[in-house]
Amino acid sequence: YHEWEFRTMSKFNGAKTDDQPGLGSRVLEGLRGDAYLVALDMGADELSKNFAVPILVERMKKAVFPHQETEAQELYHQGQKKGGALSCAPGEAMLAYIGRRRRWYRTLKGLDPKTEISENLRSDLLLMMSNLNE
């Protein structure tokens, strides 16, 4: 979802105001299954309006993440598990690991904007999960 949201909103933000009404139908072309049904529920008239894409993205987010706070809590706990999925894997490049941790926090904030972890705690978690010795 997050990759789709990024690509879709990038297209929307890069579009001129005159091009926005056609953008909704172009986004619709790439949707399948439940995602298509969310757009179908909006209707063709709504999709052809200027700010249809951000509305579609918000509705899609609610459909994909109906229990955002619960999922944010689960993701938060995954980020704290020593040796878990968000720990540095053996042989993993440090830049890849750091990027993964940044995406974890960005995703966490996207699921629950009220969640706040200070920079000091995030850096401590980064070091603790990096599997570096003294």
Side-chain angles (χ1 to χ4, degrees):
Y1 166 80
H2 296 288
E3 292 174 12
W4 173 82
E5 178 187 28
F6 178 75
R7 284 192 309 270
T8 303
M9 288 308 295
S10 293
K11 287 178 188 174
F12 174 77
N13 291 331
K16 295 178 183 165
T17 306
D18 297 342
D19 297 335
Q20 287 180 0
L23 193 57
S25 64
R26 283 187 276 157
V27 169
L28 177 65
E29 290 173 8
L31 299 178
R32 304 283 180 268
D34 291 340
Y36 175 79
L37 294 176
V38 171
L40 185 66
D41 287 345
M42 278 184 71
D45 291 338
E46 190 73 24
L47 281 171
S48 64
K49 293 182 179 176
N50 272 2
F51 285 93
V53 171
I55 294 168
L56 176 63
V57 166
E58 191 58 37
R59 289 184 183 181
M60 200 71 71
K61 188 175 193 176
K62 287 179 183 175
V64 172
F65 302 110
H67 307 289
Q68 286 184 351
E69 289 181 8
T70 305
E71 291 178 25
Q73 193 174 37
E74 166 107 15
L75 188 60
Y76 172 78
H77 290 298
Q78 289 297 319
Q80 311 275 332
K81 281 186 183 176
K82 185 93 169 137
L86 289 164
S87 291
C88 189
E92 181 179 21
M94 196 53 66
L95 282 175
Y97 164 66
I98 292 170
R100 204 158 40 88
R101 293 295 297 194
R102 284 185 179 148
R103 285 189 302 279
W104 164 76
Y105 186 65
R106 199 170 34 242
T107 303
L108 182 63
K109 292 289 288 176
L111 287 172
D112 186 5
K114 296 178 287 184
T115 300
E116 201 59 53
I117 303 173
S118 73
E119 192 171 330
N120 287 343
L121 286 174
R122 283 183 292 154
S123 60
D124 189 48
L125 282 170
L126 180 78
L127 287 172
M128 188 171 69
M129 303 298 181
S130 69
N131 295 326
L132 295 174
N133 57 26
E134 285 76 24

